[in-house]
Amino acid sequence: MLLTRGRRNLSRHITTVHEQKRAFECQLLDEDGNLCGRGFDTSGKLRVHEGRVHGGKRFWCSMCSSDIAARETTIDQPWREGTAGFSTYAELQEHVKIHHPPHCEICGLDCSSQRELKNHVEVRHGGSNMDERKTHICPEPSCGRAFTRRGNLNVHVQSAHKAKKYVCGEAELEFLNNVNGWDGLNACGRALSTKASLESHIRTAHLCMGRRRSKTRRKQKSDPAQAQNAYNMDLLKLTGVGYEEYSGRHIVCLIPECDFRFGRSYDLHVHLVSRHGLPESEATAVIAGTNANNDDWTVSCDNLPHDPTDGNPYDFNNAREDDISHGGRFWVGDDFDESHGREDDDWLEDEREMKKLIDNDRLGDQGHSGAIGTIDPCLRLRLHSASIILEWKDTVLKDSLQLVGIYTTGRSTDTRMEAQVENAIEIASNPAADQDLKSQALDFIHQLPSDPQSWRICLSLFVREPRCSRVVRHTSLDVLDNAVASGRLDIQALTVIRENLVAYAQDVYGTITADPNTIDSPHLQNKLAQTFTYLFASLYPSQWLSFFHDLLALTAFAGSPARNNATGSIFFLRVLIQIHDDIADIFLSRSTDDRKKNTELKDLIRERDAKTIAASWQEILSYWRGKDPKVIDLCLATIGRWVSWTEISLIITDTLRDQLLELVTSPMPQDGSVPLRETALTTLKEILHKKMGSDYKLELINFLKIREVVGHIVASPALADLRATSQYDTDLAESVAQLVNHSVSDIARALEIAQDQSTVMIQGVSQLKEFLPLVLRFFSDEYDEICSTVIPCLSDLLTLFRKKEKLSMTIREQCSAMLSPLLDAVVMKMRYDETSSWGNEDAQTDEAEFQELRKRLHVLQQAVAAVDDHLYQEKISTVVVSTFENFKRSGSQIDWRDLDLALHEMYLFGEYALRGGGLYSKTKPVTPAAERLIAMMYKLVDSGVASSLHPSVQLQYMEICVRYYHFFDANPQYISATLECFVQYVHHDHVKVRTRSWYLFQRFVRHIRQHIGDIAQTIIQALSDLLPIKAEIPDEVSDNSGMSSEEDQQTPSARFDSQLYLYEAIGSICSARGVLVENQVVHIRTVITPLFSDLEVHLGPAKNGDELAVMQVHHLIMALGTLARGFSDWTPAHTSPAAAPPASEVSEEFSRTSEAILVALESVSVNSEVIRAAARFAFSRLVGVLGSRILPQLPRWIDGLLSRTSSKDEMALFMRLLDQVVFGFKTEIYNILDTLLTPLLQRVFAGIAEPATGTDDEIQLAELKREYLCFLLVILNNNLEAVLVSEANQAGFATVISTIEHLAKDASDFPTAKLAFTVLTRMVITWGGPDIQTGSPQPILPGFDRFMMERFSPLCWTLPSQPNFDPKDAYGRQAMGEAAGLQKAIYSKTGEEYLSYLRNNELSGMGMDAGTVDEYLRALANTDAKAFKQYFQSLVQRSKR
């Protein structure tokens, strides 16, 4: 019987489960007037369906006219105001994408999105090549690589240059801040990537101090006493004493009385050499011998193994090989000794007798009835292990016995086989063993799991007395795990393993008389627990129902009612943890069958043993509380894992709760024992994570007394008295903050679905009131990692307030009480703390983390504004305005951190204020927020904040002025003073401020240049000392790898790139409306005359190949081009009245600039690609200031930029520039283009014909092909098609057509093929004549109708017929779509004649059957362009199957 909470849930259950219907059915009528009846699982999906299907047309296309929409759209929609209507925004977007794609006005290319169009214009018509866009230069002096994006540069630096350059013992100690007291002795030479990693390594490996947990942005106080305390507190953890099972440091130091432990042999080696002074060779030999035999041996000779012949210790380097070469227990490479044949025959006869005895005992043979069931299980195991040699010899070991010799004859079979396996494992694990010997031993070991009987030998090796080494026993368990987990063993074999392992566990872990020295190491216990887990998965469902009872028996000594066996309890808990990890760990990916099996196992545990297991935890906690913290710690960890899938009522009782609370509130132990508070807190968090209903979760929070627990810990000395000291327990604070975060998030989720005035609402609000002070306490913590811990729950609360604030009076009251202190805390966390050092190289990591935290805090501020915008505006404006007023009163006495905070908040507030569309609307503020921002701007400029001497304040001041420049448009009286501040900043001593200010100054001037008049000359004179250009060749030996941002990269190239912003700014200043034309000319001459003189001086040496002179000429040309770029925003064919062409006097002055650059280009360009790159950049900028004056110079530009040494990339870039020129001067360029076209195309054809010599060359070749096709498209799209067939160029027209045809057939480059089909389609539209429905074609070029049918149409089938054509390739499908468009264009010009040609010639010649031909022609004649494109693509795909 199912119980539900509420009648609505019961009704939904009956509808979905018993009536097999969807819970929510649509009750609206469809277009035919019938009931819709569509069913959905949730009401939300029903609402979406109603809006989409029955909601009418809500979205209308503003670009459609009635006739176009009626003809082209594929959706039958009603029309309103002559536009297409759609029921969903997605359908409108699809319509716009298909019928109104973004269109390039220059070349006519259709793009899929505005972003793609923007990228296309920038790349194809932007006038800059790839090299020019590579502004991010690698700081490594010997590299020279450059990139277009900052992210690409970061990846390059990390992958190519971030070598491990900080070497222990070689780095200068004075640059290391946190290793006080170390003199560099005993350095190990380890190389690390960062200085912080080196400091951490020295602290842990050489100073025996804990890892430094740095407080973000706060310097650690250097206190020798504190360092000594840290040493004493962390000594046990570092040495591993008592922590072997937790730290993983299972290798002990070999020197007696030394308590150090290590996780790797390498660490032990370094320790022996550096701490104990052993020679390298001796340390290596001792470790090698130890690894091969016993992990617990020491250097003492008493503990070394002795040679049985003379009693002397073994030589660790040679003992194993000597033993083998002299006939030891195991060796590889010797043939089987035939002299032992008779002894082996006797031995095999004994084995047959033992096997017969076992079979009789197992099968109950009548002739041996007296022996039935009388063999002891352990003896049966030994007999089984011995008898399998018969099968072994015939299977896997048949080949191995030729490699593995048995020296000692007459020993029993099981001993001999165990010896083989044991010796193989020992040699394979010995790092000093001969490699060939080790390889053969590994091959032998790898064969063990494949043999069906190998598990017997390995089981015997594990339980054998005296015990084997740890590595042998561990490997033996590996083989057992493989055999059990693979499912190859039958029930009888599994039972044998079970009985022996249970007996072993009882002997080792379950008896009070067990020798403590026989207890397995923690890692071996974990391995054995894994084996028990595999047995559990195989036997628990039906064969081993007493699994948990058998293991639970280990927790108590015989006759005791209490769980008083610590060793057995620990092993029992290890098995439980392993079972959880195997069947319930949600982070492991599992197959469907495994998930089903695990679910069944969990159901069986819940049904059979969950109650007993839960009770055992409480019994273990009760008995061992205050006695053995290891047992308590492991028990708590087990509870934390199992609680997620176990009935919580069995676990969470009053007793367990009280025990947990006692542990959570207990102080940190001072005796070095296991700290239980952290584990108890983790267990509480796992309990809170358990999934349950919201009302139950609130009850659980009350039952566990989370609020009281957290309050107690917060008031404890560790978090209260020591909060402002260096002993503040940040780990504890972070754990408690996580507990608060989980609790508050659960409360928020419960309130989000609760009804107003309901029990859940009342209880949740009450709990929220109690937790809010704790949330704010941890959020305001000075450690950023602790603050960040509670940000998720704050986000959940703000989301709750935003949703419920208008619906629930209770929530609204709580919201009002919380938002103000929360916003105050957010603002204070935005502030740099008192120990921060802005711009310090050592604090770069902390600075990056702080800026990341600021981003998260900004999200919280935005959420607060969404809940209460008035509060947000009032708080932020108060902080900003009051800070500016304080600065005006106090001047330099105010802390720079307060100014930085105010400017940062003002900058972020601007984002919020500008959401209304700007600051002003007809000289009035757009919104109240905009009005507040304007008031802040008044305070900013009036208070004199710009006079602050701190670099951070100065940078933020400039950023704000640039971003909110509209304020200066409305208040031009402030421009002069602001520009004066900018001029001071561009001369700043701090390199970051100076280089950044050059860029910001250029942006600010560009925005407000219409207000610059009389002060233009003053500004230019003030900048004159920054304008001289001095080229530098990068110093290959300089080290710039430490630079972490673009502003800090002070390579010569980076400095020059920043200097170019000044030239662009001067161009903007000179072209201001308030500057008279004659003054503009004077200003231009003032700037360019020194550049001309410098160019003349260096031109001669540059001709002779002087590298520095060539670089200087390059810089001068770039500066001249950048000056032109800043001078004019006008572009040819631009119709905007705001961007008018410059005056003719100004153009005349820049003509001199163009002539000077051409002279330099003609003199040096032949052998200098760098000069051609600079000239190409300048050419693209000069077009805007010269206009049509540049056309007579075009032949010289072509000759200079396309020299015989020009690369394919250079040709492609210049073709892109020509696209811009042709588009801009379409009415004036015909005669020049008619003269230049043939020689230009000849150079392009030569470049295309050159074979590619590498990957980069192939990319450049493909780019050149596409630029050539784009150039043809620009000509065709701008009514210049006559130039292609003019008298001067007619001879080359055939070559043009043949190259296009060749590119359209290239299946290795689909983008180029697609573009080639586009060009052909445009030719058909241009020269094919008017569209016809009936009648004869009327081509503009005589005979072009037959030409395009016979030459163009077959290309549509040539491309997909290529062997390497892939119809599923996305680019290939696009090319086929363009081919379909070509056929539709030909049909529109020729009509029935084209259909007849296809039927009688083209399609029939391809072998297409008559039915497919008819279908194809119908699709071509009767469908629109989109439908035929889809048909053609599918037809090609079918034909390629």
Side-chain angles (χ1 to χ4, degrees):
M1 179 177 65
L2 175 69
L3 298 178
T4 64
R5 296 178 61 84
R7 183 176 301 172
R8 184 170 57 183
N9 292 340
L10 176 61
S11 175
R12 185 184 305 173
H13 166 75
I14 294 173
T15 302
T16 57
V17 177
H18 301 293
E19 297 181 359
Q20 297 297 314
K21 296 179 181 179
R22 297 292 179 92
F24 299 91
E25 290 189 355
C26 178
Q27 303 297 321
L28 301 178
L29 302 180
D30 59 17
E31 296 178 354
D32 299 329
N34 301 321
L35 183 66
C36 178
R38 288 283 303 278
F40 302 91
D41 296 327
T42 65
S43 59
K45 293 181 179 179
L46 173 60
R47 288 194 297 270
V48 171
H49 162 77
E50 291 174 345
R52 180 185 298 272
V53 179
H54 307 293
K57 307 303 177 284
R58 299 179 295 162
F59 302 93
W60 305 87
C61 179
S62 60
M63 292 180 284
C64 279
S65 62
S66 300
D67 54 337
I68 294 177
R71 182 174 70 251
E72 293 187 354
T73 187
T74 59
I75 306 176
D76 185 14
Q77 302 288 353
W79 308 101
R80 181 182 66 180
E81 299 179 0
T83 58
F86 306 89
S87 58
T88 66
Y89 185 65
E91 292 176 351
L92 173 60
Q93 286 181 311
E94 182 67 18
H95 165 80
V96 173
K97 181 179 179 181
I98 295 173
H99 300 287
H100 313 292
H103 183 76
C104 178
E105 296 182 355
I106 300 177
C107 65
L109 180 69
D110 288 338
C111 301
S112 60
S113 64
Q114 288 292 342
R115 180 178 180 181
E116 181 180 339
L117 175 61
K118 180 181 178 182
N119 292 338
H120 164 77
V121 173
E122 177 183 351
V123 174
R124 303 284 185 184
H125 313 302
S128 59
N129 59 15
M130 181 65 71
D131 292 335
E132 293 167 358
R133 296 201 308 276
K134 291 179 178 179
T135 58
H136 302 277
I137 302 172
C138 178
E140 190 70 23
S142 60
C143 179
R145 293 285 301 278
F147 303 87
T148 59
R149 297 179 183 274
R150 176 69 184 173
N152 296 342
L153 173 60
N154 291 338
V155 171
H156 163 74
V157 172
Q158 290 292 335
S159 61
H161 305 305
K162 284 293 184 180
K164 295 184 177 181
K165 59 181 180 179
Y166 294 94
V167 181
C168 180
E170 297 180 9
E172 296 294 336
L173 296 181
E174 56 265 25
F175 295 109
L176 304 179
N177 300 328
N178 301 285
V179 293
N180 296 332
W182 189 56
D183 55 5
L185 294 179
N186 300 325
C188 60
R190 182 177 178 184
L192 300 106
S193 301
T194 64
K195 186 174 70 175
S197 300
L198 176 59
E199 291 178 357
S200 178
H201 162 73
I202 293 174
R203 288 172 61 84
T204 57
H206 301 296
L207 291 179
C208 300
M209 299 170 64
R211 291 186 179 274
R212 176 175 175 262
R213 186 182 181 92
S214 62
K215 181 170 59 176
T216 304
R217 304 175 287 105
R218 178 177 293 274
K219 292 183 178 178
Q220 291 289 342
K221 298 178 177 59
S222 178
D223 184 0
Q226 177 185 349
Q228 183 63 34
N229 291 336
Y231 170 81
N232 295 332
M233 183 171 58
D234 292 340
L235 178 60
L236 292 179
K237 189 178 296 184
L238 288 171
T239 58
V241 176
Y243 284 85
E244 180 184 2
E245 60 183 291
Y246 302 105
S247 66
R249 299 172 181 260
H250 60 277
I251 303 176
V252 300
C253 179
L254 304 180
I255 301 299
E257 308 303 329
C258 181
D259 294 329
F260 277 79
R261 287 181 177 270
F262 306 92
R264 301 180 303 170
S265 297
Y266 170 79
D267 300 328
L268 173 60
H269 182 280
V270 173
H271 172 77
L272 290 175
V273 174
S274 61
R275 181 57 64 93
H276 300 298
L278 268 67
E280 292 275 352
S281 58
E282 182 178 347
T284 302
V286 170
I287 294 174
T290 302
N291 288 340
N293 294 275
N294 192 320
D295 292 341
D296 292 331
W297 290 341
T298 67
V299 176
S300 172
C301 291
D302 294 336
N303 292 325
L304 297 180
H306 288 67
D307 191 321
T309 60
D310 56 12
N312 294 323
Y314 276 154
D315 182 347
F316 276 101
N317 284 326
N318 303 312
R320 184 67 58 184
E321 284 75 4
D322 290 344
D323 182 51
I324 293 166
S325 62
H326 289 84
R329 293 176 295 167
F330 175 87
W331 74 95
V332 180
D334 193 12
D335 292 331
F336 192 83
D337 192 350
E338 296 293 340
S339 65
H340 301 308
R342 180 174 299 277
E343 294 171 322
D344 285 340
D345 291 341
D346 296 338
W347 166 69
L348 292 176
E349 185 63 31
D350 293 338
E351 299 309 309
R352 293 189 182 95
E353 290 299 327
M354 284 188 287
K355 187 174 186 299
K356 183 177 180 181
L357 180 62
I358 293 171
D359 293 340
N360 291 339
D361 181 72
R362 182 195 307 162
L363 303 176
D365 187 271
Q366 295 299 324
H368 300 80
S369 59
I372 298 176
T374 60
I375 299 179
D376 182 78
C378 293
L379 176 60
R380 182 184 298 115
L381 170 66
R382 303 285 290 180
L383 295 176
H384 274 295
S385 302
S387 64
I388 54 90
I389 189 59
L390 300 178
E391 294 86 348
W392 190 294
K393 186 173 182 179
D394 291 335
T395 55
V396 176
L397 295 185
K398 182 175 181 180
D399 297 329
S400 300
L401 287 175
Q402 297 178 1
L403 298 175
V404 183
I406 303 177
Y407 176 72
T408 306
T409 61
R411 63 174 64 179
S412 62
T413 303
D414 57 342
T415 304
R416 294 166 58 150
M417 296 309 303
E418 289 171 11
Q420 290 185 61
V421 176
E422 181 180 8
N423 283 321
I425 297 173
E426 294 283 9
I427 289 180
S429 62
N430 183 5
D434 179 77
Q435 293 301 315
D436 292 337
L437 188 67
K438 179 183 289 189
S439 177
Q440 296 182 56
L442 287 171
D443 291 340
F444 174 80
I445 295 172
H446 291 160
Q447 294 179 20
L448 291 178
S450 62
D451 185 85
Q453 299 297 330
S454 61
W455 62 270
R456 300 179 186 273
I457 294 296
C458 292
L459 178 60
S460 178
L461 283 172
F462 180 77
V463 301
R464 190 183 73 185
E465 292 291 346
R467 292 185 178 180
C468 305
S469 67
R470 292 181 182 179
V471 66
V472 173
R473 302 181 73 215
H474 192 282
T475 305
S476 299
L477 286 179
D478 261 335
V479 176
L480 282 177
D481 291 348
N482 182 274
V484 175
S486 63
R488 298 195 307 263
L489 302 183
D490 56 17
I491 295 299
Q492 188 173 10
L494 294 173
T495 303
V496 170
I497 298 175
R498 162 197 164 185
E499 292 174 352
N500 281 272
L501 291 185
V502 169
Y504 172 83
Q506 185 63 40
D507 290 340
V508 175
Y509 305 117
T511 59
I512 196 172
T513 59
D515 184 0
N517 296 326
T518 63
I519 303 300
D520 295 320
S521 60
H523 80 274
L524 203 56
Q525 290 186 39
N526 288 333
K527 188 64 179 175
L528 181 58
Q530 186 180 41
T531 305
F532 269 97
T533 300
Y534 288 138
L535 289 172
F536 160 82
S538 301
L539 297 176
Y540 182 71
S542 58
Q543 302 296 325
W544 196 358
L545 278 65
S546 61
F547 176 85
F548 291 104
H549 293 277
D550 292 347
L551 290 179
L552 196 57
L554 301 175
T555 62
F557 293 123
S560 174
R563 307 293 178 188
N564 57 351
N565 183 1
T567 305
S569 298
I570 288 176
F571 182 72
F572 168 69
L573 295 171
R574 289 185 189 277
V575 175
L576 293 184
I577 290 176
Q578 190 64 49
I579 288 175
H580 164 82
D581 294 344
D582 192 61
I583 69 173
D585 192 340
I586 62 175
F587 297 106
L588 294 180
S589 178
R590 298 179 176 88
S591 65
T592 303
D593 292 340
D594 286 342
R595 289 197 298 269
K596 181 179 179 181
K597 178 182 177 182
N598 293 341
T599 301
E600 294 173 353
L601 287 172
K602 287 187 287 186
D603 289 341
L604 288 175
I605 293 174
R606 297 186 189 103
E607 179 182 348
R608 298 174 183 173
D609 298 306
K611 186 175 182 179
T612 302
I613 294 171
S616 71
W617 294 332
Q618 300 186 19
E619 294 167 358
I620 291 173
L621 289 175
S622 299
Y623 183 84
W624 291 105
R625 183 177 55 186
K627 299 177 181 178
D628 192 334
K630 289 185 180 180
V631 179
I632 301 297
D633 185 77
L634 201 59
C635 187
L636 292 177
T638 306
I639 295 173
R641 282 174 166 84
W642 278 59
V643 71
S644 62
W645 54 278
T646 308
E647 175 59 42
I648 196 168
S649 62
L650 300 176
I651 301 176
I652 306 305
T653 63
D654 292 339
T655 303
L656 180 62
R657 178 198 60 189
D658 295 340
Q659 291 171 340
L660 280 174
L661 299 186
E662 179 182 351
L663 292 172
V664 166
T665 56
S666 63
M668 179 70 71
Q670 301 299 320
D671 56 356
S673 59
V674 178
L676 298 175
R677 186 168 57 187
E678 291 287 339
T679 308
L681 282 171
T682 302
T683 303
L684 275 178
K685 286 184 288 186
E686 294 298 332
I687 293 173
L688 284 178
H689 273 155
K690 186 172 178 64
K691 295 180 179 180
M692 61 182 67
S694 300
D695 50 349
Y696 293 117
K697 182 60 70 74
L698 298 184
E699 293 176 5
L700 179 63
I701 293 174
N702 277 340
F703 179 79
L704 293 175
K705 300 180 180 180
I706 301 296
R707 171 62 183 84
E708 291 82 350
V709 169
V710 174
H712 179 85
I713 299 176
V714 168
S716 66
L719 298 188
D721 300 342
L722 302 178
R723 181 175 179 181
T725 69
S726 57
Q727 278 86 36
Y728 182 48
D729 193 342
T730 55
D731 290 328
L732 177 62
E734 191 169 353
S735 296
V736 178
Q738 291 173 355
L739 191 62
V740 172
N741 180 69
H742 295 322
S743 301
V744 175
S745 292
D746 288 335
I747 295 172
R749 283 190 286 269
L751 291 175
E752 187 173 348
I753 61 175
Q755 300 295 324
D756 196 20
Q757 302 303 321
S758 65
T759 303
V760 174
M761 175 67 73
I762 295 173
Q763 184 180 11
V765 170
S766 175
Q767 292 177 336
L768 190 59
K769 291 180 181 179
E770 296 175 349
F771 274 98
L772 281 180
L774 296 174
V775 174
L776 295 177
R777 181 259 179 256
F778 287 110
F779 180 73
S780 60
D781 195 286
E782 58 186 353
Y783 284 85
D784 292 343
E785 59 266 31
I786 299 173
C787 164
S788 301
T789 302
V790 296
I791 288 180
C793 73
L794 286 175
S795 300
D796 293 340
L797 283 178
L798 292 172
T799 301
L800 169 69
F801 293 158
R802 187 171 65 252
K803 292 181 178 180
K804 289 281 190 175
E805 194 267 338
K806 296 181 179 179
L807 302 177
S808 170
M809 178 63 69
T810 309
I811 294 293
R812 185 160 59 250
E813 294 173 356
Q814 194 62 38
C815 171
S816 302
M818 173 189 170
L819 284 183
S820 182
L822 172 60
L823 189 55
D824 290 337
V826 172
V827 171
M828 290 309 300
K829 289 300 296 184
M830 287 276 195
R831 185 182 184 272
Y832 280 97
D833 62 29
E834 299 300 329
T835 60
S836 299
S837 178
W838 186 92
N840 187 354
E841 180 182 356
D842 294 336
Q844 287 182 356
T845 301
D846 289 346
E847 174 69 17
E849 293 176 355
F850 177 53
Q851 295 304 328
E852 187 63 30
L853 176 64
R854 274 185 162 182
K855 293 178 182 178
R856 299 184 65 186
L857 295 173
H858 177 47
V859 174
L860 285 181
Q861 282 190 343
Q862 290 177 318
V864 171
V867 177
D868 191 340
D869 59 341
H870 177 74
L871 173 66
Y872 172 72
Q873 295 180 34
E874 186 66 30
K875 285 279 186 183
I876 300 302
S877 61
T878 300
V879 170
V880 174
V881 172
S882 62
T883 303
F884 292 163
E885 291 177 346
N886 290 338
F887 180 83
K888 188 174 182 179
R889 290 192 303 268
S890 305
S892 59
Q893 296 180 3
I894 190 171
D895 195 329
W896 70 268
R897 299 170 184 83
D898 295 326
L899 277 178
D900 174 89
L901 173 64
L903 291 170
H904 182 71
E905 289 289 2
M906 179 179 176
Y907 187 86
L908 298 180
F909 185 85
E911 294 182 358
Y912 174 81
L914 293 181
R915 291 185 304 177
L919 283 178
Y920 295 95
S921 176
K922 297 181 180 179
T923 70
K924 293 185 178 181
V926 177
T927 62
E931 184 176 4
R932 289 182 182 269
L933 180 61
I934 294 171
M936 295 180 195
M937 290 295 298
Y938 278 116
K939 288 292 183 180
L940 175 67
V941 295
D942 289 335
S943 63
V945 171
S947 63
S948 172
L949 300 180
H950 197 275
S952 175
V953 175
Q954 295 170 341
L955 282 175
Q956 293 213 61
Y957 174 82
M958 288 188 289
E959 297 280 0
I960 290 175
C961 291
V962 171
R963 184 162 190 169
Y964 308 123
Y965 67 90
H966 291 295
F967 170 81
F968 296 96
D969 287 335
N971 300 275
Q973 67 272 19
Y974 292 111
I975 291 179
S976 179
T978 305
L979 282 175
E980 183 178 352
C981 295
F982 271 84
V983 171
Q984 295 177 2
Y985 296 155
V986 298
H987 293 84
H988 204 283
D989 294 335
H990 197 290
V991 61
K992 185 175 181 179
V993 177
R994 184 171 65 251
T995 54
R996 180 64 178 172
S997 65
W998 291 353
Y999 166 72
L1000 294 174
F1001 176 69
Q1002 174 267 325
R1003 285 192 57 195
F1004 184 69
V1005 166
R1006 193 173 188 85
H1007 289 315
I1008 53 91
R1009 62 181 173 182
Q1010 64 268 24
H1011 302 292
I1012 298 178
D1014 299 336
I1015 61 174
Q1017 183 176 359
T1018 304
I1019 297 175
I1020 295 174
Q1021 290 176 351
L1023 299 177
S1024 60
D1025 60 318
L1026 300 174
L1027 297 181
I1029 294 174
K1030 184 179 180 180
E1032 300 178 57
I1033 298 177
D1035 186 2
E1036 295 184 358
V1037 299
S1038 63
D1039 182 14
N1040 296 314
S1041 58
M1043 300 175 183
S1044 60
S1045 65
E1046 183 178 359
E1047 292 79 11
D1048 292 332
Q1049 292 175 5
Q1050 288 307 299
T1051 62
S1053 177
R1055 286 195 296 270
F1056 173 68
D1057 289 342
S1058 297
Q1059 190 180 19
L1060 289 179
Y1061 289 123
L1062 295 177
Y1063 279 92
E1064 186 171 352
I1066 289 177
S1068 299
I1069 294 172
C1070 293
S1071 61
R1073 295 178 183 176
V1075 180
L1076 300 176
V1077 173
E1078 53 270 23
N1079 290 337
Q1080 292 183 13
V1081 174
V1082 172
H1083 297 331
I1084 294 173
R1085 289 176 180 173
T1086 302
V1087 177
I1088 66 175
T1089 299
L1091 299 180
F1092 287 168
S1093 301
D1094 201 5
L1095 185 63
E1096 185 177 1
V1097 170
H1098 289 87
L1099 202 55
K1103 291 180 183 179
N1104 298 326
D1106 186 292
E1107 185 178 359
L1108 183 60
V1110 170
M1111 188 63 65
Q1112 183 73 11
V1113 172
H1114 167 273
H1115 286 12
L1116 294 170
I1117 295 175
M1118 292 288 292
L1120 292 170
T1122 305
L1123 180 67
R1125 178 183 185 178
F1127 201 94
S1128 176
D1129 292 331
W1130 177 80
T1131 56
H1134 202 292
T1135 58
S1136 174
S1144 59
E1145 295 88 343
V1146 174
S1147 297
E1148 183 63 31
E1149 199 63 34
F1150 276 107
S1151 294
R1152 296 175 52 227
T1153 301
S1154 178
E1155 182 64 29
I1157 296 175
L1158 280 173
V1159 171
L1161 181 63
E1162 292 166 346
S1163 302
V1164 191
S1165 70
V1166 175
N1167 298 315
S1168 179
E1169 182 178 350
V1170 67
I1171 298 298
R1172 294 196 296 270
R1176 188 167 53 248
F1177 169 85
F1179 172 79
S1180 65
R1181 274 58 183 177
L1182 288 169
V1183 170
V1185 292
L1186 293 181
S1188 59
R1189 292 172 180 264
I1190 203 171
L1191 295 181
Q1193 297 177 340
L1194 195 57
R1196 296 174 63 191
W1197 281 104
I1198 294 176
D1199 289 338
L1201 294 176
L1202 296 183
S1203 69
R1204 63 177 183 273
T1205 59
S1206 296
S1207 64
K1208 299 180 181 64
D1209 187 44
E1210 291 183 78
M1211 294 183 189
L1213 291 171
F1214 188 72
M1215 296 290 291
R1216 193 175 304 163
L1217 284 177
L1218 282 183
D1219 292 348
Q1220 179 184 357
V1221 174
V1222 171
F1223 173 75
F1225 303 106
K1226 64 185 72 175
T1227 60
E1228 305 164 274
I1229 200 173
Y1230 180 88
N1231 293 330
I1232 296 177
L1233 187 61
D1234 188 43
T1235 304
L1236 297 176
L1237 184 62
T1238 295
L1240 173 65
L1241 293 182
Q1242 287 176 349
R1243 296 190 185 188
V1244 174
F1245 294 154
I1248 293 176
E1250 291 180 2
T1253 57
T1255 303
D1256 291 341
D1257 205 23
E1258 290 177 355
I1259 295 174
Q1260 293 180 7
L1261 177 59
E1263 189 69 18
L1264 177 59
K1265 293 175 181 178
R1266 288 192 281 272
E1267 290 301 334
Y1268 160 67
L1269 295 172
C1270 286
F1271 178 66
L1272 296 179
L1273 271 179
V1274 171
I1275 292 175
L1276 294 170
N1277 288 334
N1278 289 282
N1279 300 320
L1280 295 171
E1281 64 276 2
V1283 76
L1284 294 173
V1285 292
S1286 67
E1287 182 177 353
N1289 302 305
Q1290 192 170 13
F1293 184 67
T1295 307
V1296 171
I1297 295 296
S1298 61
T1299 55
I1300 300 173
E1301 291 176 332
H1302 173 74
L1303 297 178
K1305 296 184 291 186
D1306 188 1
S1308 64
D1309 188 358
F1310 288 133
T1312 302
K1314 173 190 173 184
L1315 198 56
F1317 280 115
T1318 304
V1319 174
L1320 294 175
T1321 303
R1322 189 62 194 174
M1323 286 183 172
V1324 170
I1325 295 173
T1326 302
W1327 289 318
D1331 292 354
I1332 63 170
Q1333 299 297 329
T1334 59
S1336 301
Q1338 300 176 5
I1340 295 176
L1341 292 180
F1344 194 75
D1345 52 342
R1346 298 299 302 177
F1347 181 82
M1348 59 188 181
M1349 286 190 293
E1350 296 174 357
R1351 293 285 295 272
F1352 294 175
S1353 181
L1355 296 174
C1356 301
W1357 297 99
T1358 304
L1359 178 62
S1361 65
Q1362 301 290 335
N1364 58 339
F1365 179 82
D1366 182 6
K1368 295 182 181 180
D1369 185 278
Y1371 292 108
R1373 290 180 58 84
Q1374 292 179 4
M1376 287 296 93
E1378 292 298 324
L1382 173 60
Q1383 296 176 80
K1384 287 292 292 185
I1386 296 175
Y1387 173 73
S1388 67
K1389 303 298 181 183
T1390 58
E1392 291 295 331
E1393 183 176 347
Y1394 183 45
L1395 298 180
S1396 300
Y1397 168 79
L1398 290 174
R1399 181 185 300 275
N1400 300 326
N1401 299 89
E1402 188 171 315
L1403 299 181
S1404 59
M1406 294 169 48
M1408 188 180 295
D1409 62 87
T1412 305
V1413 170
D1414 292 339
E1415 175 189 310
Y1416 182 83
L1417 297 180
R1418 284 196 302 271
L1420 177 61
N1422 300 327
T1423 61
D1424 60 11
K1426 178 183 177 182
F1428 181 71
K1429 172 183 175 181
Q1430 295 173 346
Y1431 169 79
F1432 185 68
Q1433 290 172 336
S1434 63
L1435 179 64
V1436 170
Q1437 188 167 356
R1438 293 198 307 267
S1439 66
K1440 297 292 288 186
R1441 290 176 182 172

